[in-house]
Amino acid sequence: MLDKELADYLGSTAGASLPPVFAAPGRKGRADCPDCGQLTGNRVCPECHNPLPPAYVDSPGRIVALVGAKNAGKSTYIAVLLHELMNRVGTELDASLVACDDRTIERYKRDFARPLLEQRRLLPTTASAATTPREPLVYLLTRTRRSRFAAGRLGRSRNDSLALVLFDTAGEDLRSREVRDLHLRYLEAADAVIFLVDPLELPGARSALLEGAPGLPDAPGDDPDSEPINIIARVTEALRARHGSKPGERLPVPVAVALTKIDVLRPALMRQSALHRSRGGTGVLDLDDREGVDAQVRALLHEWEAGQLDTYLGQQYADHALFGISALGGIPEDGRVGAGGVRPYRAEDPLLWLLYKFGMLDGLRPGDDSSSQGA
């Protein structure tokens, strides 16, 4: 039968048929239908009636919203981040990342991995949810963590799991309240946000970028949807609506702000800059390195007369951190990945910091035997 809530979300009646939807405690993962009495284990979102993968319901879930302007490289970043978690970073963390449903498997292959990683074609900009409703990418991240006895000896191990839900958002969707309310309700439910900021959107940074890479595209122009401060303010408004926060009260949602295309900036930075260092693959968050990168990016924002970004974030959020990343590691050529292939630089840093905040990753200062756990 036609399900109105699902049809509203999809924007079409095609594929919007469901059996009767009913409320149930679901503590055992199954419940009897009040209409026919049949036992069912299928669960859906109470708002949009999209099917919920069992792993998301049964494991602690964290929704991470990925937000940025049209040219910030959100799709490219997602493709590279997931590939890193499935391979190099996953090995480092002793972690596995597994898709929770067939839609996630198909979308990752079709929209991300096949065109970028196999065919080396640049991904198109994120389409508006008004014309193309997007499905979230839902993964189960499982880490094997080993406790330590005295003198650093490894003790018993345990597996910690986290359902990770990734959404990518087109900047123009945040301007329309109608589109935002219908398709982007997850913004109000986000447990964390990653903002991608293209330095080309910061007028003070463009001259420095052009010196290192004269072949960069033209400036985006005067589109207000491309201005990072406007995008961040709209997301903040949605989060405040969810939390019911008072004016002046800072939001408890951790926010990561990442400058993209950092590979172009690095040659212009002093050699002792924290952004010249690669992150050490130790399976923990290096807190000294994290603070060094944060301070360097903050200094760059103020140098480029974009310090209001940092000031605004500090006023609105109880916890935010700054990052410098590169998903591709080089400048694209004619719509394709550069000759060196995809060579990500610190693309995983924002998510590792969030895992630390979620309590899934320990933090350590070099030379200190005691580790701290994220709050």
Side-chain angles (χ1 to χ4, degrees):
M1 59 181 292
L2 178 67
D3 186 274
K4 182 181 182 301
E5 286 77 5
L6 183 57
D8 287 344
Y9 175 84
L10 297 174
S12 169
T13 57
S17 296
L18 284 177
V21 175
F22 60 93
R27 286 185 291 271
K28 296 182 179 180
R30 303 175 72 83
D32 293 320
C33 174
D35 291 342
C36 66
Q38 183 175 348
L39 185 66
T40 177
N42 297 328
R43 289 169 281 191
V44 298
C45 171
E47 293 289 337
C48 66
H49 288 190
N50 265 284
L52 292 175
Y56 175 73
V57 179
D58 298 334
S59 300
R62 297 287 189 170
I63 296 178
V64 177
L66 187 69
V67 184
K70 185 177 295 184
N71 298 311
K74 297 180 294 298
S75 297
T76 299
Y77 178 68
I78 286 178
V80 171
L81 175 64
L82 291 174
H83 184 265
E84 290 289 277
L85 288 173
M86 294 174 189
N87 295 279
R88 179 182 62 85
V89 176
T91 300
E92 172 198 335
L93 299 180
D94 204 0
S96 62
L97 186 75
V98 179
C100 289
D101 57 23
D102 292 340
R103 292 180 302 177
T104 295
I105 294 172
E106 176 56 29
R107 188 180 175 216
Y108 174 69
K109 289 182 178 178
R110 180 190 67 235
D111 297 343
F112 299 98
R114 189 174 297 129
L116 181 70
L117 302 175
E118 296 178 16
Q119 301 171 353
R120 294 193 175 186
R121 292 187 290 108
L122 295 187
L123 301 179
T125 56
T126 303
S128 170
T131 57
T132 309
R134 286 180 302 281
E135 301 292 342
L137 295 168
V138 186
Y139 288 90
L140 183 66
L141 177 68
T142 303
R143 287 199 66 208
T144 299
R145 305 178 71 180
R146 294 175 173 83
S147 60
R148 291 185 177 274
F149 291 137
R153 291 184 295 121
L154 291 178
R156 303 177 65 179
S157 64
R158 73 177 192 271
N159 289 333
D160 289 345
S161 295
L162 177 76
L164 186 63
V165 184
L166 291 172
F167 287 88
D168 56 319
T169 309
E172 60 267 32
D173 287 341
L174 302 176
R175 181 174 56 184
S176 168
R177 185 177 299 275
E178 179 181 354
V179 173
R180 184 174 66 203
D181 289 346
L182 180 60
H183 297 287
L184 304 180
R185 292 171 181 161
Y186 73 89
L187 276 176
E188 296 182 0
D191 297 289
V193 181
I194 299 176
F195 289 108
L196 295 185
V197 175
D198 182 353
L200 291 177
E201 308 289 353
L202 306 175
R206 185 167 179 80
S207 58
L209 283 168
L210 287 174
E211 289 179 6
L216 286 173
D218 295 334
D222 297 326
D223 181 5
D225 289 328
S226 67
E227 296 180 11
I229 189 67
N230 292 338
I231 292 173
I232 293 173
R234 291 185 187 117
V235 173
T236 302
E237 177 189 355
L239 291 172
R240 284 197 173 280
R242 171 217 173 178
H243 288 274
S245 57
K246 301 176 182 177
E249 183 180 1
R250 296 193 296 175
L251 289 162
V253 180
V255 168
V257 179
L259 292 182
T260 60
K261 300 183 177 69
I262 205 67
D263 56 292
V264 181
L265 286 172
R266 288 172 67 197
L269 300 174
M270 298 180 65
R271 293 303 307 175
Q272 63 268 34
S273 166
L275 292 176
H276 274 296
R277 298 194 302 262
S278 296
R279 185 186 61 82
T282 58
V284 297
L285 184 68
D286 184 330
L287 298 177
D288 287 347
D289 174 75
R290 173 82 289 278
E291 292 172 3
V293 170
D294 190 88
Q296 174 68 85
V297 175
R298 179 172 290 104
L300 287 174
L301 289 176
H302 285 274
E303 179 183 334
W304 296 333
E305 300 180 357
Q308 66 167 337
L309 278 176
D310 182 49
T311 301
Y312 178 81
L313 289 163
Q315 293 168 341
Q316 303 296 323
Y317 295 92
D319 201 359
H320 78 281
L322 306 174
F323 301 84
I325 66 172
S326 173
L328 296 179
I331 301 174
E333 302 170 1
D334 300 323
R336 299 185 63 83
V337 175
V342 177
R343 295 172 289 122
Y345 177 75
R346 305 195 73 138
E348 70 276 10
D349 281 15
L351 186 60
L352 293 184
W353 177 71
L354 291 178
L355 291 179
Y356 170 67
K357 291 297 173 180
F358 295 158
M360 283 281 290
L361 186 67
D362 293 332
L364 187 68
R365 297 186 185 278
D368 186 356
D369 292 334
S370 61
S371 61
S372 64
Q373 189 163 327

